[in-house]
Amino acid sequence: MSYDRYVAVCKPLHYGSLMGSRACAQMAAAAWGSGFLNAVLHTATTFSLPLCQGNAVDQFFCEIPQILKLSCSDAYLREVGALVCSVSLAFGCFVFIVFSYIQIFRAVLRMPSEQGRHKAFSTCLPHLAVVSLFISTATFAYLKPPSISSLSLDLLVAVLYSVVPPAVNPLIYSMKSKELKHALWKLMTRCVSEAINFRSTSADD
């Protein structure tokens, strides 16, 4: 997505050739392939860990740090090594995203039209906000010191990096659609009116 925004803002005349169906398919295949290999690596290493503190995880999914807490042997070092590989891959993606947005902001700030700058920022900032939320919460979840760890905090952070970004992505990337904005506005208006009617009915009772 950051590369798509970069091409759209910095090289708009070449967008059709640089972001064709073949290029999109290759980038999607690379993302899905690396994600699948990463998942297989962690699944294989965590399933091989001997657990000596039960098999109940204080989380709504099998988060790796929670599984490592239940391990009772030096075999967990293999999973730590897998985590290092994953962090290295994620850091490479992070550097690529930062570099792309640096180029984007440099190009946007050189635009003479205020309307053009506003349009470019409105296109890029939602994606940047979602990526920032995911990276910051995931980093905190995996690198936070044990002294500040608690069940409620772990659950909250896990929801923020595993549930919120994929849930809001379709909404954010579709906000440019006038039909979607109109439908959301009608839905919000209906919910507010129903809430007001419910309150008035409850007050009369």
Side-chain angles (χ1 to χ4, degrees):
M1 291 304 299
S2 62
Y3 181 70
D4 174 78
R5 299 299 193 261
Y6 165 75
V7 175
V9 174
C10 300
K11 300 182 178 181
L13 299 180
H14 301 281
Y15 186 85
S17 59
L18 294 176
M19 292 300 296
S21 57
R22 182 177 180 181
C24 292
Q26 290 174 345
M27 287 188 287
W32 292 336
S34 59
F36 176 76
L37 292 176
N38 184 60
V40 169
L41 174 65
H42 287 296
T43 301
T45 52
T46 53
F47 277 13
S48 65
L49 293 177
L51 305 179
C52 61
Q53 301 183 35
N55 58 359
V57 178
D58 294 331
Q59 191 57 271
F60 66 93
F61 70 104
C62 291
E63 191 183 30
I64 294 172
Q66 299 296 331
I67 296 176
L68 292 179
K69 290 180 181 179
L70 305 178
S71 177
C72 56
S73 72
D74 293 337
Y76 78 92
L77 293 176
R78 289 180 297 178
E79 176 57 26
V80 173
L83 280 175
V84 171
C85 294
S86 299
V87 170
S88 301
L89 178 63
F91 182 74
C93 295
F94 175 73
V95 170
F96 178 78
I97 292 172
V98 170
F99 177 77
S100 298
Y101 273 104
I102 289 175
Q103 299 300 317
I104 289 172
F105 290 146
R106 289 178 60 186
V108 170
L109 293 176
R110 288 198 299 263
M111 290 182 178
S113 171
E114 183 177 352
Q115 183 178 3
R117 290 195 298 269
H118 180 269
K119 183 178 180 180
F121 278 126
S122 65
T123 302
C124 299
L125 290 181
H127 173 251
L128 189 60
V130 173
V131 170
S132 301
L133 174 66
F134 172 77
I135 292 177
S136 60
T137 51
T139 302
F140 179 77
Y142 281 82
L143 299 181
K144 69 179 183 300
S147 58
I148 64 172
S149 180
S150 66
L151 178 59
S152 58
L153 179 62
D154 292 343
L155 286 172
L156 175 62
V157 173
V159 169
L160 286 178
Y161 83 81
S162 65
V163 177
V164 175
V168 301
N169 267 340
L171 181 64
I172 286 178
Y173 297 142
S174 303
M175 283 306 291
K176 292 182 290 184
S177 171
K178 292 183 179 180
E179 292 79 6
L180 179 65
K181 289 182 179 180
H182 182 66
L184 287 175
W185 178 253
K186 287 179 62 177
L187 178 63
M188 291 175 60
T189 304
R190 181 181 300 178
C191 291
V192 170
S193 62
E194 289 181 356
I196 294 175
N197 293 333
F198 178 77
R199 286 186 177 181
S200 61
T201 303
S202 300
D204 293 339
D205 293 341

